[in-house]
Amino acid sequence: AQSVTQLDSQVPVFEEAPVELRCNYSSSVSVYLFWYVQYPNQGLQLLLKYLSGSTLVKGINGFEAEFNKSQTSFHLRKPSVHISDTAEYFCAVSEGGNDYKLSFGAGTTVTVRA
Amino acid sequence: NAGVTQTPKFQVLKTGQSMTLQCAQDMNHEYMSWYRQDPGMGLRLIHYSVGAGITDQGEVPNGYNVSRSTTEDFPLRLLSAAPSQTSVYFCASSSKYGYTFGSGTRLTVV
């Protein structure tokens, strides 16, 4: 079974500064990887996903993530954040194939300050 | 708009009461699932279904029942609500390559 560890529970950052959210996973098979964002009092929105191919994945709102198989990581980055990026971010993994079950990390709360 | 519809959005129950959280999707996805979200714990899988008539338990199934009589609908039943079931519940519908989540049901058990 797969599991996901988000290494930071809270990340404060100033507006226009870069941000990196760290995610490590464990799995014995090939995986699909996802980042979701949850704005206050809203549902989950897909930011980006890695299924196969290029290890650098670009998503919405200027976010990107890099899949590193040797380090079993899928870190999320944005070069310049805005106040509107204040949200909770979840890393998730599924083992692909015929297993659709998603396992989520505990979440990282990003607070952007002016 | 295509997507996942959850009802109700908010609910307060007394301990011991029963209720059903509704979930419907119009994307013709075979796979549907229910998660609960609790602070500091991310989302945890309660039950899932790989198609009509097929359901299975996830990580935290105790206290919940599901059924899948049609492809579109996947209701979650709380048979006897407990305060530990106070949470935000999300239904999801998915193909192999992507998940669509409902807007959530905030449930409080007093």
Side-chain angles (χ1 to χ4, degrees):
Chain A
Q2 67 269 30
S3 67
V4 180
T5 302
Q6 290 184 240
L7 298 166
D8 307 289
S9 59
Q10 309 241 5
V11 174
V13 59
F14 286 106
E15 193 173 22
E16 298 183 5
V19 70
E20 178 180 75
L21 308 185
R22 297 179 293 167
C23 173
N24 286 95
Y25 69 92
S26 65
S27 174
S28 59
V29 299
S30 296
V31 296
Y32 298 153
L33 294 156
F34 307 82
W35 275 99
Y36 287 87
V37 60
Q38 185 179 35
Y39 299 105
N41 298 315
Q42 294 190 26
L44 280 80
Q45 179 181 359
L46 180 67
L47 273 178
L48 47 79
K49 60 186 176 186
Y50 171 80
L51 304 179
S52 64
S54 172
T55 58
L56 183 62
V57 180
K58 294 190 182 298
I60 62 172
N61 300 341
F63 284 93
E64 64 181 31
E66 186 154 19
F67 170 55
N68 188 318
K69 187 175 182 179
S70 64
Q71 297 188 7
T72 60
S73 68
F74 191 54
H75 300 335
L76 180 71
R77 301 183 184 95
K78 185 170 182 177
S80 176
V81 296
H82 304 290
I83 298 288
S84 59
D85 291 321
T86 294
E88 190 161 20
Y89 294 80
F90 293 96
C91 183
V93 61
S94 74
E95 290 192 341
N98 292 320
D99 184 351
Y100 292 16
K101 294 191 294 292
L102 270 182
S103 293
F104 284 85
T108 298
T109 300
V110 173
T111 304
V112 182
R113 298 189 176 96
Chain B
N1 291 336
V4 178
T5 303
Q6 282 186 244
T7 57
K9 292 189 183 303
F10 302 94
Q11 183 71 49
V12 178
L13 286 179
K14 293 183 178 179
T15 298
Q17 285 186 316
S18 63
M19 79 159 295
T20 300
L21 308 185
Q22 301 291 344
C23 176
Q25 55 98 0
D26 58 5
M27 296 171 285
N28 203 32
H29 286 161
E30 292 296 326
Y31 187 84
M32 296 184 73
S33 50
W34 277 101
Y35 291 84
R36 60 177 290 174
Q37 182 181 18
D38 302 292
M41 305 189 75
L43 280 79
R44 293 179 291 168
L45 181 64
I46 304 171
H47 284 286
Y48 65 98
S49 168
V50 298
I54 307 170
T55 64
D56 206 346
Q57 296 180 350
E59 182 183 354
V60 288
N62 293 340
Y64 308 95
N65 279 356
V66 292
S67 61
R68 186 91 179 273
S69 57
T70 67
T71 300
E72 295 77 22
D73 299 300
F74 190 44
L76 178 72
R77 296 184 186 85
L78 284 72
L79 301 178
S80 179
S84 60
Q85 294 178 303
T86 293
S87 187
V88 181
Y89 292 85
F90 288 99
C91 178
S93 167
S94 55
S95 65
K96 183 183 294 188
Y97 306 115
Y99 290 69
T100 301
F101 286 86
S103 57
T105 296
R106 187 174 295 274
L107 176 67
T108 302
V109 183
V110 298

